[in-house]
Amino acid sequence: MAIRKQLNHLPIKIRHRAIKVLFCVSGVVSPVLMNLFLHYTFDVWMERRFPGVPFCRYADDGLVHCTSVEQAEFVLTTLKERFEQCGLELHPDKTRIVYCQDVNRTQKYHCVSFDFLGYTFRPRSSADKYGRRFVNFLPAVSRTALKAMRQTIRRWKIQLKSEKSLEDISFMVRPILRGWQNYYGYFYGSALSAVWGHFNQYLARWVTRKFKQFRGHHRRATHRLGKIARQRPYLFPHWELGYKPSAG
């Protein structure tokens, strides 16, 4: 609105020149325009072309749920044609047919897993209410997401913040850790244990730098941290879930 008002005060020739450069590349508006374009290119088209086929999309990632390999191949071929008509193309590596193998779908297929929104969907061992084990097709945090979380922990450089108290560190990182747990821990929360262990190691290194009696004694620092975790588990969300350092 502000841009339009400014343009109205310009001469006609300059106004037309100014309008020509008003486009957005990798800006704040770009995701909105992309989502709007894909809404009509994919969402609306799928509802009209395949009304009985469920699908979902988030930004430029999407899933189409088919009942057979033949149907999946036909939908994929038709979808490629649709995208080509709209000047787009499907990612050659990420676009594939996946067989959702579980206790009821036992056929062999070369691809039985995929990543979507930070989760890896694949056959996993589950238990019913009677404790009986069976294979189910379930999500859990992906390796890519785990790597990104570990890299984030390294960037915090907790081991170098010896001027901070444990409460200060908790105040700094607790909201982020809680967000990870709420999102990635919703399914198969135990898959986050590697991240919690990684974070506890950095806390133990912080103890060795902050307190002289623990310098060069990583195991003793870990045990000290474990005792604190049992006394004050509320400091970090994974401590409350039981992922505490060893207390010796």
Side-chain angles (χ1 to χ4, degrees), residues 113-124 137-151 153 176-177 179-196 243:
S113 68
F114 64 91
D115 287 1
F116 186 62
L117 301 182
Y119 280 95
T120 295
F121 293 74
R122 66 174 179 83
R124 302 179 189 274
F137 196 83
L138 293 174
V141 58
S142 68
R143 292 183 179 180
T144 303
L146 288 172
K147 181 179 178 180
M149 285 184 278
R150 289 194 296 266
Q151 289 176 341
I153 293 173
I176 300 175
L177 299 180
W180 289 350
Q181 172 59 35
N182 290 343
Y183 183 73
Y184 294 110
Y186 192 82
F187 299 100
Y188 259 81
S190 60
L192 286 172
S193 59
V195 172
W196 305 142
Y243 296 98

Side-chain angles (χ1 to χ4, degrees), residues 2-86:
I3 295 176
R4 183 179 298 176
K5 290 182 179 179
Q6 294 175 4
L7 291 174
N8 288 336
H9 295 290
L10 296 174
I12 295 177
K13 292 184 178 179
I14 300 179
R15 193 186 308 170
H16 287 304
R17 293 176 183 173
I19 291 174
K20 291 182 180 179
V21 299
L22 289 179
F23 60 91
C24 184
V25 178
S26 299
V28 178
V29 186
S30 295
V32 178
L33 296 176
M34 179 271 296
N35 192 57
L36 182 63
F37 185 74
L38 285 178
H39 172 71
Y40 291 100
T41 302
F42 177 73
D43 300 348
V44 176
W45 177 82
M46 279 291 298
E47 292 175 354
R48 183 177 64 251
R49 183 67 176 81
F50 299 103
V53 178
F55 70 91
C56 60
R57 181 182 64 84
Y58 183 84
D60 59 346
D61 290 334
L63 298 175
V64 179
H65 305 270
C66 300
T67 58
S68 66
V69 176
E70 293 75 19
Q71 184 187 45
E73 292 175 346
F74 177 72
V75 171
L76 180 57
T77 301
T78 310
L79 192 58
K80 288 181 179 178
E81 296 174 354
R82 167 64 176 174
F83 271 54
E84 290 176 359
Q85 293 172 358
C86 298

Side-chain angles (χ1 to χ4, degrees), residues 195-208:
V195 172
W196 305 142
H198 191 70
F199 180 76
N200 287 338
Q201 289 179 4
Y202 273 85
L203 283 180
R205 292 172 61 184
W206 169 82
V207 172
T208 61

